[in-house]
Amino acid sequence: MSQIIISGILYSLWLLLPVITFMALRHGRTSRSMRVNGMLAAAVFALPAYTGLICLISGLAWPPDIFFRQRNASDSVSVSGYRIVYAQQWGLDFYETYFEVTRADGLKAYLEIDGDDNKCWSITTQQTGARIYFLCDEQTVTEHTSYVDTEQMLLYAGAISCSRFINDLPFRKYAGNPLISMTDSGDAELYCWTE
């Protein structure tokens, strides 16, 4: 959490760089061309920050998620010896939402829910019968809401209407999350759309 706060402060300073530079150069003993060049350099350097601000306002991305590439939201449940995490983090171009299932022996399996998702600021669970629904930003349960069925031991990826039995997932020792890697993982079992 402290990393997010620090990144937010640094990002705010980055946005203010042209203003800070203007104030510093305005009162200094520098030539007009040096002030203009300094302002121009600060504006060009801050341009990615303003692009990120547009992404934030439009709801596409939170810039620190892009830079740190860690989970920005997650929630987990334990079901019959499995720990099932519903998580989201920045992928290559949009947010990746996925299930991470860990067995008691530590082996993991992943199942992609949505590879082009919008940012989810918080995730909560709601149990209805045998189903545990994962809700992003306090949404309501619909036919597109992902869930775990505790009776059938089934994962349902609501965004793409795909289900997989937990026992059929490819449990392995993964070095990092194969869904978020820069190259294709080669594991067709990780994606519902390959069925």
Side-chain angles (χ1 to χ4, degrees):
M1 186 66 172
S2 64
Q3 190 177 29
I4 292 173
I5 293 170
I6 291 170
S7 64
I9 292 169
L10 290 174
Y11 185 71
S12 297
L13 290 173
W14 191 17
L15 286 171
L16 292 173
L17 181 66
V19 175
I20 294 168
T21 305
F22 174 75
M23 296 302 287
L25 291 176
R26 183 173 159 216
H27 297 294
R29 295 181 182 253
T30 57
S31 67
R32 178 174 162 75
S33 65
M34 188 173 230
R35 284 192 297 251
V36 169
N37 289 341
M39 279 301 301
L40 203 55
V44 168
F45 183 73
L47 189 62
Y50 287 103
T51 304
L53 183 63
I54 292 168
C55 289
L56 175 63
I57 291 170
S58 66
L60 293 177
W62 170 233
D65 292 343
I66 298 169
F67 299 130
F68 292 110
R69 296 181 62 84
Q70 63 186 9
R71 283 187 188 160
N72 62 295
S74 66
D75 199 357
S76 65
V77 295
S78 294
V79 178
S80 300
Y82 294 96
R83 182 172 176 261
I84 301 167
V85 177
Y86 179 94
Q88 184 184 73
Q89 73 186 76
W90 183 257
L92 296 175
D93 56 354
F94 286 96
Y95 286 95
E96 300 271 349
T97 305
Y98 57 92
F99 283 116
E100 177 186 85
V101 184
T102 307
R103 293 193 319 202
D105 62 4
L107 296 179
K108 293 183 179 186
Y110 293 85
L111 181 64
E112 183 178 57
I113 296 169
D114 191 346
D116 292 324
D117 210 351
N118 292 323
K119 174 150 179 71
C120 185
W121 292 94
S122 66
I123 298 171
T124 57
T125 57
Q126 176 182 325
Q127 186 159 1
T128 305
R131 293 181 178 177
I132 301 173
Y133 293 95
F134 293 90
L135 306 170
C136 178
D137 297 329
E138 299 180 20
Q139 69 185 25
T140 58
V141 175
T142 68
E143 67 273 4
H144 298 292
T145 304
S146 297
Y147 63 82
V148 176
D149 189 312
T150 59
E151 284 180 5
Q152 296 181 18
M153 294 302 290
L154 179 89
L155 297 176
Y156 176 72
I160 51 178
S161 301
C162 169
S163 59
R164 290 278 173 93
F165 289 104
I166 293 173
N167 293 333
D168 294 340
L169 295 172
F171 286 93
R172 298 189 184 104
K173 283 190 175 184
Y174 287 101
N177 183 339
L179 296 172
I180 307 298
S181 67
M182 294 298 284
T183 60
D184 182 24
S185 66
D187 291 325
E189 305 97 340
L190 302 175
Y191 306 97
C192 278
W193 45 260
T194 59
E195 291 187 309

